[in-house]
């Protein structure tokens, strides 16, 4: 990280601060006709299905804006981390010094954010992450960082409370992977079960493995009424299949990392039936009565030939914040960041207004369930009820 930071300092010095470049991140762009906004996340790695939808949402917002033939257009520049923290740290200086972005949507994951955001902060590049949920991200004192969603602390607590309300369990079990996100959200659910007086056991799996039989044996011995899994769909589907094949019938739930149709295909439709997924995101399934949301869904489906998915709306709303800043005449990183301090909008995902630490003023956890082989939205965590 220190080496990357040093490289960034040299790179910024080499760029200079004359402001003559139309996409300069630090100086006044003056006669800019196009500004560049980056999108950073896992676009081709094992968990890319979580990241491609917000990228699509952001691209849609920028294309809609550019179609109005504005004085200053916006170009989206993708940065594929493949979910690797070191790759995110290496791409950040390139985005600032070579590509001269004036803003960043992402990084998408928390580990990537820890690696890249200090570099973006040094380069004075405002970032809006549509999906990184580690609670401590807002505790670094970063001034150019913003989040579009609730944290793992709220998410893990919200889904645990939902499971308690739905099943009145006598015993719970928490399983998580080794990744930072997996451990963090697992901690949150575990702590909430314990706080509510529910005996809870716990185990950790290795995401690189495909055999979770030892965990299945432990869960069967514990005989819990509910199971929470902290991790991603890429291993969550395999774990769920092995639990069901092993005779474990307890209500199984997970967080946003597992909220993708590939969880169902990985587990098998029969084994995934009734699985519960929580997310600090709203996925607009079916017909929408709200005109703004209906327009977003129709345009998204027309462009990508698929329905909006996890974090599609957050990616769109993040891009709309940059659009609003540019429309107001802000074309440098510092000016855009100043604009965000007073930005307030009713987005397609949620109301958006940031506190000084980059967190949203209000957030909501949504609950989804696998019903007849497909995901269905059940409602907000404090209102939702199971279909099955």
């Amino acid at each position: 990280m220190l080496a990357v930071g040093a490289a960034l300092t040299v790179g910024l010095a080499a760029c200079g601060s004359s402001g003559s470049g139309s996409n300069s991140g630090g100086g006044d762009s003056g006669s800019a006709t196009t500004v560049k906004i980056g999108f950073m996340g896992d676009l081709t790695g094992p968990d890319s299905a979580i990241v491609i939808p917000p990228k699509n949402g952001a691209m849609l917002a920028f294309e809609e804006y550019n179609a109005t033939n504005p004085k200053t257009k916006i170009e989206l520049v993708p940065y594929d981390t493949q979910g690797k923290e070191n790759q995110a740290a290496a791409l950040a200086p390139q985005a600032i010094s070579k590509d001269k972005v004036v803003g960043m949507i992402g990084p998408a994951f928390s580990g990537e954010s820890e690696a890249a955001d200090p570099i973006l902060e040094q380069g004075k590049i405002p970032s809006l992450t549509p999906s990184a949920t580690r609670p401590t991200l807002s505790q670094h004192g970063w001034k150019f960082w913003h989040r579009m969603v609730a944290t793992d602390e709220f998410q893990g607590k919200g889904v645990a409370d939902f499971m308690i309300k739905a099943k009145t369990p006598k015993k719970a079990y928490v399983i998580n992977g080794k990744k930072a996100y997996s451990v963090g959200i697992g901690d949150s659910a575990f702590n909430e079960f314990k706080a509510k007086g529910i005996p809870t056991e716990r185990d950790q799996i290795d995401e690189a493995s495909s055999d979770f039989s030892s965990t299945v044996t432990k869960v069967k011995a514990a005989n819990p009424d509910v199971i929470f899994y902290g991790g991603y769909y890429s291993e969550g589907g395999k774990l769920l299949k092995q639990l069901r094949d092993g005779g474990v019938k307890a209500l199984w739930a997970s967080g946003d990392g597992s909220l993708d149709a590939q969880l169902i295909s990985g587990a098998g439709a029969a084994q995934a039936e009734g699985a519960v997924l929580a997310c600090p995101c709203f996925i607009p399934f079916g017909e929408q009565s709200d005109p703004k949301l209906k327009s977003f869904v129709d345009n998204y489906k027309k462009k990508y030939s698929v329905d909006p998915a996890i974090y599609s709306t957050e990616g769109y709303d993040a891009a709309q914040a940059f659009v609003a800043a540019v429309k107001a005449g802000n074309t440098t990183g510092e000016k855009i960041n100043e604009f965000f301090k007073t930005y307030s909008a009713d987005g397609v995902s949620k109301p958006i207004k940031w506190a000084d630490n980059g967190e949203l003023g209000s957030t909501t956890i949504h609950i989804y369930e696998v019903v007849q082989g497909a995901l269905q939205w059940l409602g907000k965590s404090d209102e939702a009820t199971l279909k099955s």
Side-chain angles (χ1 to χ4, degrees), residues 27-330:
D28 189 341
S29 61
S31 59
T33 57
T34 298
V35 295
K36 294 180 180 180
I37 305 296
F39 184 98
M40 183 178 289
D42 179 1
L43 297 176
T44 60
D47 297 302
S48 58
I50 299 172
V51 182
I52 292 173
K55 175 182 175 290
N56 287 347
M59 179 66 78
L60 176 63
F62 289 153
E63 289 190 0
E64 289 176 346
Y65 165 70
N66 288 337
T68 67
N69 197 30
K71 177 181 177 181
T72 302
K73 293 189 175 183
I74 299 176
E75 176 187 348
L76 185 143
V77 183
Y79 298 95
D80 182 12
T81 65
Q82 296 181 316
K84 300 175 182 177
E85 298 174 17
N86 60 345
Q87 198 149 310
L91 287 169
Q94 173 188 327
I96 301 168
S97 301
K98 180 181 177 182
D99 299 331
K100 299 182 176 59
V101 302
V102 298
M104 183 70 72
I105 299 174
F109 295 161
S110 295
E112 299 171 341
S113 298
E114 294 281 10
D117 278 319
I119 302 169
L120 297 174
E121 183 79 9
Q122 184 181 350
K124 297 182 178 180
I125 301 300
S127 64
L128 310 182
T129 177
S131 52
T133 50
R134 186 181 298 175
T136 55
L137 289 176
S138 60
Q139 299 172 17
H140 294 290
W142 296 330
K143 302 300 183 183
F144 287 76
W145 175 89
H146 310 77
R147 178 164 21 216
M148 301 292 296
V149 290
T151 69
D152 293 332
E153 182 179 356
F154 286 100
Q155 188 180 174
K157 179 180 184 298
V159 70
D161 286 340
F162 173 79
M163 296 171 81
I164 293 169
K165 180 182 68 174
K167 291 295 182 180
T168 317
K170 295 180 180 179
K171 184 181 287 187
Y173 206 103
V174 172
I175 308 167
N176 56 264
K178 295 182 177 181
K179 295 177 181 177
Y181 158 79
S182 307
V183 174
I185 196 169
D187 286 345
S188 178
F190 180 82
N191 292 337
E192 184 64 7
F193 284 132
K194 298 290 282 187
K196 294 298 174 65
I198 299 170
T200 307
E201 296 185 40
R202 191 172 185 179
D203 193 34
Q204 185 175 73
I205 65 169
D206 181 356
E207 293 96 338
S209 175
S210 60
D211 180 4
F212 305 128
S213 56
S214 64
T215 295
V216 173
T217 300
K218 294 174 186 177
V219 174
K220 288 182 69 175
N223 193 29
D225 302 296
V226 295
I227 301 168
F228 177 81
Y229 171 64
Y232 295 96
Y233 65 84
S234 51
E235 66 272 1
K238 292 181 286 187
L239 172 65
L240 179 54
K241 174 178 173 53
Q242 292 176 39
L243 285 168
R244 295 298 188 234
D245 289 350
V248 178
K249 298 180 180 179
L251 175 65
W252 186 94
S254 189
D256 59 330
S258 293
L259 184 54
D260 187 78
Q262 292 185 62
L263 175 84
I264 303 171
S265 60
Q271 292 90 335
E273 188 70 13
V276 168
L277 292 311
C279 189
C281 64
F282 173 58
I283 304 176
F285 291 114
E287 290 296 320
Q288 303 298 321
S289 57
D290 177 79
K292 182 189 295 186
L293 193 55
K294 185 179 187 307
S295 176
F296 165 76
V297 171
D298 291 346
N299 292 340
Y300 190 100
K301 291 173 69 173
K302 181 179 179 180
K303 177 172 177 58
Y304 300 111
S305 300
V306 295
D307 291 321
I310 184 171
Y311 296 124
S312 294
T313 56
E314 281 75 16
Y316 184 83
D317 285 342
Q320 289 290 10
F322 280 112
V323 166
V326 172
K327 286 175 70 173
N330 303 287

Side-chain angles (χ1 to χ4, degrees), residues 7-36:
L8 172 61
T9 303
V10 172
L12 290 174
C15 284
S17 57
S18 65
S20 60
S22 64
N23 298 305
S24 172
D28 189 341
S29 61
S31 59
T33 57
T34 298
V35 295
K36 294 180 180 180

